[in-house]
Amino acid sequence: MDAKDPPSHLRPVPGSGDSTAPSLEPEAGGTPGLTPPIARGRSSGFVTDVLVDLGYVGDDRARQAVEEARTAARPPEALLLEQSAITADQLSRAVAERYGLDHVDLSAYHVDMAAANLVTVDTARRYRAMPIGFVDRETLLVAMADPTNVLAIDDIQIATALDCRVAVAAEEDIEALISRLNTLQSAVSEAVTEGEAEAEEEGELAEVAAMEVSAADAPVIKLVYSVLGQAVEEGASDVHFEPGEGEMRVRFRIDGVLREAAHVPKRMVSAVVSRVKIMSDLDIAEKRVPQDGRVSVTVEGRRVDLRVTTLPTQRGEGATIRILDKENAQRSLDELGMDGSARERFEAAFQQAYGAVLVTGPTGSGKSTTLYAALRELNRVEKNTITIEDPVEYQLEGINQINVNRKAGLDFATGLRSILRADPDIVMVGEIRDGETARIAVEAALTGHMMLTTLHTNDAPGAITRLTKMGIEAFLTASAVDCVVAQRLARKLCTHCKRRTIVRPEALADAEIRVDGEMEAYEPVGCGRCNQSGYRGRVGVFSVMRMSDRIKEMTVAQAPEAEIAAVGREEGMLILREDGLAKVRAGVTSLEEVLRVTA
C-alpha cells in the first residue's frame, strides 16, 4: 500500500516506518496536518503502551484501564476515551505510532474533494474511512480510524481501482468530514438558468429537474456540486478547472489569491467540463471556441449566481466560474474598511445633487463593490437610479440595471445616451473605456445628474490625466469631477491565529516607509480556520482626493500628476500605503500584505 512515487511535497523522513512518510515541517516542504510516525511501528505491545510512552496518560491509569477492559469486554483505549482521560486526537496519534503509519489532523489537512468523491458517503461511513488526497496517480491517501480493517482497504481499492496508503485520523474528525461532504453534495441544487424570458419554459425546467434527480447517482455531478459547495463555503470568488497533461487541477481564488483545491483524475476530466457546460446551458459539442454562460444555484439556502467561461486550451478544454454571492455585494462602507477623513470626503461627494465621482484601481480591486455601497445609501424612492454594467454582477432591489450587449449594438456610450433620456437622478456606469463614454458621462455630471463610474488608473491624481488623454477638455474635467477614489483590496489577518510582532526600523526603511523607530504590528501564522494562510477576508485600502479649488486650477493648467498629488496630500489626502499602514497598526492586516497590494 505504500506509495511508489511520492510527489514533491512529500519528503521521506529518516528512521520512519514508511519511506514516503511526509514531514509536517513547512521549511522542508511538508504537508500541513500530515505527521509521520516517530517510530517504525511496534511489533508487540498495546495502544495503551504507546499512550504512556507519548505522555498522554500515566502508567497507573493505563493499567487501571486494562483491568477494567477485561470485565467490560472493550478495548482499554476506548474506555480511556469515554472517561475523557485522553482525547480523540491523542488516541489516533497513538494508533498511528502503534502501526507505524502517518497521522492526519483533518482540521488542518486540506482535503482534495476529487479524492473524497471517489467513494460513496455510505461506504465511507460504514468503514469509517475517507479518501482525502492523491499520493500519486496510482495511490490514494485514505484517512481511517481503524487501520487494521483490511476489508475496508480492499473494498476502497476495488471501488476506486487505485492503491491505498493509510493515515490514521480521529474517528470524530472522519465523521465530521463525511457529514460535511454529504451536506455539500445534497445542499447544492440547480435553480433556473437566468437569461432570456423564453429560457424559462416548461421543457427546460423539466430538463433541469431531471438532472437534479440523477445527481445522487452520478460521481461527476457529485464532484462538481461538492467543489462548488466548498468554494462558496470558503468564500471563493472564482473556481478554475485547468486541464493538464493527465489530470485536471482545480483552484479557488480566495481573498484575491489562487490556491489548489482538488485534482480531477484523467478519466473524469471531459465529463466534469461537460457537466459545467450543461449547468450553464452551453453547447457541449462545441470545444473549439470559448463560450460564456450563466446559472443560478442554491447553496444551503443561499442563492448564488455563477458566471461560466470555457476556454479551449492546448491541453484540453477548461472552465472558469465566477461566483457572484449577493451577500458580498450588500456591504456598507464600514464593512469595506473606509473610515475617517476618506469616508467623509467620499460621502460628501456622492450625496450631492450632481457631479461625478470616480473610483479607480486595477481589475479585482473592489471598485464595483464600493460603488454598490454608495448606491445602497442613495437608493431612495424619490430618486431614479439607473446603471449600465458589463455585465450586471449583482441585482439590486429598487435600482434599474442595464446589461451591455455589444452583439445587439448596446455598448456603454449607446446605453448612456438612452439612460439620460429616461429621467435619471443617479447614473452608474460600470467603466469608462473610451472617449465617447467619458464625454457623455462628463456632460451628464454637468447637466444635473450624479454620475458614479470607474477608471483603470493606479492612483487618484492619475484619473485627471486619463480623462485628458481620452479627449476631455481640462476645464470640463475640473467642473464635473468632485471626488476621485483610488483603492486596493488587502487580505485581513485571521483573528484566531495572528501574532503580535515588532517591525524594525531597517525593515521599514527597506520598504521606503518613514516611521520614527519601531512599529508594532501583527503577522500571519496560519490555522485550520484560515486554511493555513494566516488570512481570512479582505479589507479596502483607500486614497480619496476631493477636487478642491486649488486642484481644479491645477487641472485646468494641466499640471503633472506628481504636483497634483503633492497638493492633495497637503490638503489631507492619504496615499494608499499610508491608509494601509493605519490598518497595519490596528491589527487588521499585515505590513507584507500592504506592501504587496500597493507596490
Side-chain angles (χ1 to χ4, degrees):
M1 291 185 295
D2 291 342
K4 305 177 183 66
D5 216 357
S8 58
H9 69 278
L10 301 183
R11 181 174 62 87
V13 179
S16 68
D18 188 345
S19 62
T20 60
S23 168
L24 189 59
E25 303 171 40
E27 64 272 15
T31 305
L34 195 59
T35 311
I38 299 170
R40 290 178 175 272
R42 301 163 190 258
S43 57
S44 61
F46 301 96
V47 174
T48 48
D49 296 332
V50 184
L51 288 168
V52 172
D53 291 345
L54 293 176
Y56 294 152
V57 71
D59 191 38
D60 292 340
R61 187 70 184 82
R63 280 200 295 267
Q64 179 185 345
V66 171
E67 292 296 328
E68 293 174 358
R70 289 172 181 167
T71 57
R74 298 186 61 198
E77 58 269 19
L79 294 178
L80 288 170
L81 183 63
E82 277 184 9
Q83 297 163 4
S84 301
I86 58 173
T87 66
D89 185 68
Q90 289 173 336
L91 175 57
S92 61
R93 289 178 187 273
V95 171
E97 288 299 325
R98 166 66 180 83
Y99 296 104
L101 298 170
D102 298 325
H103 174 266
V104 61
D105 180 358
L106 292 178
S107 66
Y109 186 87
H110 183 68
V111 177
D112 189 328
M113 282 298 177
N117 278 278
L118 291 177
V119 299
T120 65
V121 170
D122 290 340
T123 298
R125 187 167 282 127
R126 181 167 66 253
Y127 293 132
R128 294 178 297 165
M130 172 67 76
I132 58 173
F134 295 92
V135 177
D136 57 33
R137 293 183 180 180
E138 299 177 356
T139 310
L140 277 176
L141 182 64
V142 180
M144 297 184 69
D146 179 13
T148 63
N149 191 341
V150 180
L151 177 62
I153 299 170
D154 289 344
D155 281 1
I156 292 174
Q157 288 185 152
I158 292 170
T160 62
L162 295 169
D163 293 334
C164 290
R165 170 173 155 184
V166 174
V168 182
E171 183 175 350
E172 60 186 29
D173 287 349
I174 293 177
E175 289 177 352
L177 175 61
I178 294 170
S179 297
R180 175 169 165 262
L181 181 66
N182 191 39
T183 300
L184 289 175
Q185 289 178 357
S186 60
V188 182
S189 59
E190 282 193 81
V192 179
T193 302
E194 292 195 354
E196 301 295 332
E198 58 267 23
E200 299 185 359
E201 294 176 351
E202 264 186 3
E204 294 193 8
L205 292 177
E207 184 181 349
V208 170
M211 290 190 290
E212 289 180 346
V213 170
S214 63
D217 302 319
V220 171
I221 297 176
K222 283 167 51 182
L223 169 59
V224 173
Y225 279 7
S226 60
V227 166
L228 291 176
Q230 182 185 6
V232 173
E233 183 183 55
E234 295 185 10
S237 61
D238 300 88
V239 180
H240 295 254
F241 292 90
E242 302 168 338
E245 293 293 342
E247 61 189 10
M248 170 181 278
R249 178 174 64 173
V250 181
R251 294 195 291 173
F252 294 165
R253 186 177 294 280
I254 300 176
D255 298 332
V257 178
L258 282 170
R259 69 164 179 80
E260 285 195 4
H263 290 270
V264 179
K266 184 178 181 179
R267 64 179 182 273
M268 299 173 70
V269 169
S270 60
V272 165
V273 175
S274 294
R275 178 59 193 168
V276 171
K277 292 167 78 171
I278 289 171
M279 285 174 54
S280 47
D281 198 24
L282 301 179
D283 184 0
I284 62 173
E286 180 56 77
K287 300 181 180 181
R288 299 165 298 174
V289 297
Q291 297 185 66
D292 294 312
R294 191 160 181 156
V295 65
S296 290
V297 298
T298 302
V299 181
E300 297 181 356
R302 289 164 56 190
R303 187 69 169 263
V304 177
D305 291 340
L306 307 178
R307 205 169 71 213
V308 180
T309 299
T310 63
L311 293 173
T313 70
Q314 195 170 13
R315 294 178 175 177
E317 193 173 24
T320 300
I321 300 177
R322 168 65 58 88
I323 299 174
L324 304 172
D325 191 346
K326 294 181 181 179
E327 290 185 6
N328 293 332
Q330 304 300 317
R331 296 196 177 184
S332 66
L333 294 175
D334 286 329
E335 294 171 312
L336 294 177
M338 186 181 286
D339 52 20
S341 61
R343 169 81 170 266
E344 293 173 3
R345 292 166 176 234
F346 183 49
E347 285 189 326
F350 70 70
Q351 292 287 0
Q352 295 185 107
Y354 60 90
V357 175
L358 309 179
V359 181
T360 71
T363 301
S365 60
K367 300 186 296 296
S368 296
T369 305
T370 299
L371 290 182
Y372 282 146
L375 288 177
R376 283 186 65 190
E377 297 197 19
L378 294 171
N379 189 12
R380 295 187 292 272
V381 68
E382 63 268 21
K383 296 286 186 180
N384 181 22
T385 303
I386 307 178
T387 76
I388 180 165
E389 305 166 61
D390 183 22
V392 173
E393 294 192 345
Y394 301 102
Q395 295 183 10
L396 304 178
E397 191 69 30
I399 293 177
N400 303 301
Q401 296 172 273
I402 300 173
N403 207 44
V404 166
N405 187 345
R406 289 183 176 81
K407 290 182 179 179
L410 178 60
D411 56 16
F412 279 118
T414 305
L416 188 51
R417 284 195 196 93
S418 299
I419 287 173
L420 296 178
R421 295 193 293 269
D423 186 33
D425 296 292
I426 301 162
V427 179
M428 188 190 98
V429 178
E431 182 184 348
I432 291 180
R433 297 176 180 174
D434 55 75
E436 186 180 7
T437 305
R439 179 170 294 280
I440 300 170
V442 167
E443 290 174 355
L446 291 171
T447 55
H449 305 90
M450 170 48 61
M451 176 63 61
L452 305 175
T453 188
T454 70
L455 272 176
H456 283 285
T457 63
N458 290 327
D459 56 15
I464 307 300
T465 306
R466 178 62 56 86
L467 289 175
T468 302
K469 290 182 177 178
M470 286 183 170
I472 305 301
E473 290 83 353
F475 72 90
L476 291 177
T477 299
S479 300
V481 178
D482 289 316
C483 176
V484 183
V485 179
Q487 73 175 74
R488 302 288 188 275
L489 288 178
R491 291 181 294 171
K492 294 169 65 176
L493 286 165
C494 174
T495 56
H496 295 93
C497 65
K498 66 180 182 180
R499 180 172 58 202
R500 182 178 176 273
T501 186
I502 299 295
V503 183
R504 301 299 176 188
E506 51 270 23
L508 294 169
D510 291 342
E512 300 180 354
I513 296 173
R514 297 178 181 177
V515 178
D516 294 333
E518 299 174 336
M519 186 176 76
E520 182 178 323
Y522 287 84
E523 61 184 359
V525 177
C527 64
R529 294 180 177 89
C530 60
N531 286 316
Q532 307 302 322
S533 68
Y535 297 96
R536 189 174 180 85
R538 287 194 286 180
V539 66
V541 178
F542 301 94
S543 174
V544 181
M545 183 182 77
R546 283 298 308 272
M547 293 290 287
S548 65
D549 291 340
R550 192 175 169 191
I551 291 178
K552 287 182 178 182
E553 290 173 1
M554 297 179 72
T555 300
V556 174
Q558 298 188 23
E561 288 180 28
E563 293 182 12
I564 296 176
V567 171
R569 296 186 68 179
E570 288 177 14
E571 296 178 348
M573 178 188 77
L574 294 178
I575 62 173
L576 289 167
R577 186 160 290 187
E578 289 170 341
D579 186 54
L581 285 177
K583 291 177 170 65
V584 170
R585 290 191 180 95
V588 176
T589 187
S590 67
L591 179 61
E592 293 79 10
E593 185 67 7
V594 169
L595 296 178
R596 180 182 73 85
V597 300
T598 61

